[in-house]
Amino acid sequence: MIRFSLVLVFVYCVTMCSIGQESLGLRHERHFSSLGVHINPALSSLSNLSWDINIIGAGFWANTDYGYLHQTNAIDALRNLDSIQIIENPELINEGLSSRSLVFDQDGGSKFGSTNGFIAGPSFYWKYNDRLSIGFSSAARFHADAQYIPEGLGAYELWNKLDNVQYTIDDAEINALSWTEYGIHGAIKLDDYSEGEISIGANIKFIGAYEAVTAQLEIDQEYFTVGDSLFGASVGEAALGLTRTNTSGDDAEIKRNGWGISVDLGVAGTYNKDIWSVSVVDLGFARLNNNADYFNYTIDENVLINRQDYESSTIIDSLLLQLNSDINQSAEAGFSMYLPIGLILQYDKAINENVYINGTAVQRLAILKNTLKRDNLIAVTPRYETKWFSASMPISWYNYKKVHLGIAGRAGWLTVGSDNVLSWFGQQDFAGTDIYVSLRIFPFKISNGSEKEG
C-alpha cells in the first residue's frame, strides 16, 4: 500500500499539484496584471493601465530530487500512468531501464520535494487617481514541501532489508496546507523625485484554512535495520500535527478547519525608464482549531518499529494509531501553520519601448516551526511587450540547484506559460513540471504620456 501510494503521490505532484513557482510570465509586465500584486503590491500604482480585472487564473508547480521517471515527460506520464514501473531494487538501474520507470535517489545526502498551486478567482485593481491604487483579490492555494529530506528517509533506505545497516536522520521537517484567501489591496505614490517615482503598497488577506500536515524530527536520530524492523540507537524528539477531516478513508470532504491572516508589503520605484521593487509576501499564519491534533513524540533509545505493521495499513487513521502505540507521545488540540514567507527583489530594465529584461530574486524566510518553505529562485527574463501582445523567456536558477528554461505568451487578455517548458516535451529524466494560465480584462483605449488608459 505504501509503495503504491508513493507512485500516486510522486506522479500526481510532479504533474498536476502545484503557484507555478512564481509564474514569472504572469507577473512582470509594465501592463501590470492584478495577479502581480501578490509579488509586490506597490507595482499597481506604476502600471501602464488604469485598471485590470482578473477573471480566472491558475498555476501548478512541482519539483523534486527524491526520485524521477526515466525518459518521459509530463504529457507522456499522464497518458501512461498504468505502465509506470517502480524500480524497487537499485541494483537493477544499471541493467537498463524502460521508459517511465520510477527510480528513487541513489546518491545519498539530503533531498527535497516541493509542490504548490493556485486557482485565482475574481481580482482587480483600479487607479483611483494619479497617486492611489486600490483593489481586491481572491484565490484558493495549496503548498507542500520537504526541503531537507535526510538520507535515512530515502525510499531505498527505508525499504532496505539488510541487517545492521545504520542510518542517521538529521533534523527534518515536512509541511503542507490548503487554504483560501480574500484580500484588499492598496498602493500609493509618494512624492516624485528628480529621476522617477516611489510607491508603497500592501495587501491584507483573510485566510480560511482547510487541510494541513506538519511533521518535524527535532533531534538527530540514529537507527539500525534488523530484518523487517527498525531499531532506534539514540534518543530523539519529533512532532506531528494534522487535520483529521479526511483520514478515515471515507468519501472526501471539503471543510474549513481554521482561520488566519497574512500581509504582503512592498516598495517600488522608477529610475529613468527602469522599475525596481522590494517586497515581503505571505507574512502570516493560519490557526487550525477544528478536527486538528498535534502530537509530541519522545523517541526512546531502544524503540523497535516493525515496518510490516505500517505497510499493511491502508488509511491514515490506522497508521497514526500504530505510530502512537509504538512511540511515547502527548497530544494537544489544534496547531498553527505559517505561510511561505518570501523576500522578493526585482529590477525591470527597459532596452527600448517594447523590449525589457527582468531580474528577479526570491529568498525564503523561514524562522518558526511549522512554516511552509517557499522555493528560492533567481531568474532573468527577456521580454517583448506591447499592450495587446507579449512574449517572454524566463531562465531561472531554482533552489540554487537546477536551471530551468521557460516560455510565456500573452495575446490580448489571455496568458499561457511555463517556467519549465522542456518538462512537457521530449524524453528525459522527469522530476517536475509547471504550467500557468490567466484570463483578464483591461482597458480598450490606449493613450500616451501622463494621460491614463481607459
Side-chain angles (χ1 to χ4, degrees), residues 244-260:
R244 306 287 290 275
T245 312
N246 295 289
T247 58
S248 64
D250 297 334
D251 292 339
E253 180 182 3
I254 299 176
K255 187 174 182 179
R256 186 175 58 245
N257 291 309
W259 298 92

Side-chain angles (χ1 to χ4, degrees), residues 40-47 131-133 185-193 196-202 266-270 276-278:
N40 190 321
L43 288 170
S44 64
S45 65
L46 303 178
S47 173
R131 301 176 67 85
L132 177 63
S133 176
H185 161 71
I188 188 168
K189 287 183 185 178
L190 305 179
D191 291 337
D192 296 348
Y193 64 99
E197 304 168 322
I198 294 180
S199 175
I200 58 174
V267 58
T270 60
W276 57 267
S277 69
V278 180

Side-chain angles (χ1 to χ4, degrees), residues 61-365:
W61 166 274
N63 214 285
T64 185
D65 61 1
Y66 193 85
Y68 63 88
L69 290 172
H70 181 66
Q71 293 300 292
T72 186
N73 57 63
I75 297 174
D76 181 65
L78 286 171
R79 288 178 174 176
N80 297 279
L81 290 176
D82 293 340
S83 65
I84 291 175
Q85 177 186 7
I86 308 175
I87 306 301
E88 297 186 5
N89 184 353
E91 295 180 359
L92 300 177
I93 294 173
N94 295 328
E95 297 180 6
L97 298 174
S98 61
S99 178
R100 297 182 293 276
S101 295
L102 178 54
V103 179
F104 294 97
D105 175 67
Q106 313 154 65
D107 299 332
S110 66
K111 304 166 246 300
F112 78 93
S114 178
T115 179
N116 50 77
F118 73 94
I119 298 176
S123 306
F124 76 91
Y125 71 82
W126 172 46
K127 295 169 75 171
Y128 176 75
N129 55 36
D130 290 338
R131 301 176 67 85
L132 177 63
S133 176
I134 58 177
F136 169 82
S137 65
S138 62
R141 295 175 60 183
F142 168 81
H143 182 108
D145 68 82
Q147 293 292 347
Y148 306 103
I149 305 172
E151 179 180 0
L153 293 182
Y156 294 135
E157 287 80 4
L158 291 173
W159 295 346
N160 198 330
K161 300 297 184 180
L162 299 176
D163 288 343
N164 297 319
V165 177
Q166 181 177 355
Y167 296 107
T168 299
I169 300 178
D170 301 322
D171 293 353
E173 186 172 359
I174 298 172
N175 296 288
L177 178 67
S178 60
W179 73 98
T180 57
E181 57 185 35
Y182 299 92
I184 55 176
H185 161 71
I188 188 168
K189 287 183 185 178
L190 305 179
D191 291 337
D192 296 348
Y193 64 99
S194 60
E195 295 180 334
E197 304 168 322
I198 294 180
S199 175
I200 58 174
N203 304 319
I204 301 176
K205 298 176 290 186
F206 302 93
I207 306 298
Y210 287 78
E211 299 299 321
V213 175
T214 180
Q216 305 92 32
L217 187 64
E218 300 174 359
I219 298 178
D220 294 355
Q221 172 71 23
E222 295 182 351
Y223 68 87
F224 290 90
T225 57
V226 183
D228 284 334
S229 297
L230 303 177
F231 183 76
S234 60
V235 176
E237 295 180 0
L240 172 65
L242 75 166
T243 51
R244 306 287 290 275
T245 312
N246 295 289
T247 58
S248 64
D250 297 334
D251 292 339
E253 180 182 3
I254 299 176
K255 187 174 182 179
R256 186 175 58 245
N257 291 309
W259 298 92
I261 192 169
S262 73
V263 297
D264 306 325
L265 303 172
V267 58
T270 60
Y271 179 78
N272 294 327
K273 295 183 179 181
D274 302 341
I275 296 178
W276 57 267
S277 69
V278 180
S279 60
V280 175
V281 298
D282 287 329
L283 180 60
F285 73 98
R287 177 68 187 178
L288 288 303
N289 285 322
N290 302 325
N291 304 304
D293 294 307
Y294 196 80
F295 302 93
N296 291 289
Y297 295 94
T298 301
I299 305 173
D300 296 331
E301 185 173 358
N302 298 318
V303 66
L304 183 67
I305 295 177
N306 189 327
R307 287 186 284 193
Q308 290 184 342
D309 293 338
Y310 295 85
E311 291 180 350
S312 62
S313 299
T314 58
I315 59 175
I316 296 175
D317 276 350
S318 63
L319 287 169
L320 185 61
L321 184 63
Q322 183 66 49
L323 181 65
N324 288 346
S325 67
D326 285 342
I327 303 176
N328 295 328
Q329 48 84 24
S330 61
E332 56 188 271
F335 58 96
S336 295
M337 296 284 293
Y338 298 91
L339 299 188
I341 308 170
L343 172 66
I344 302 179
L345 310 177
Q346 295 184 85
Y347 196 90
D348 201 62
K349 175 70 176 177
I351 305 302
N352 58 40
E353 184 179 359
N354 299 119
V355 178
Y356 306 88
I357 296 179
N358 181 279
T360 298
V362 180
Q363 175 61 51
R364 77 171 67 98
L365 302 176

Side-chain angles (χ1 to χ4, degrees), residues 30-33 44-52 125 127 387 440-443 445 452-453:
R30 302 292 177 99
H31 297 85
F32 192 67
S33 165
S44 64
S45 65
L46 303 178
S47 173
N48 289 348
L49 302 173
S50 59
W51 57 266
D52 181 89
Y125 71 82
K127 295 169 75 171
K387 182 178 179 180
R440 52 190 282 220
I441 300 174
F442 49 71
K445 183 180 177 182
K452 295 191 300 181
E453 296 183 7

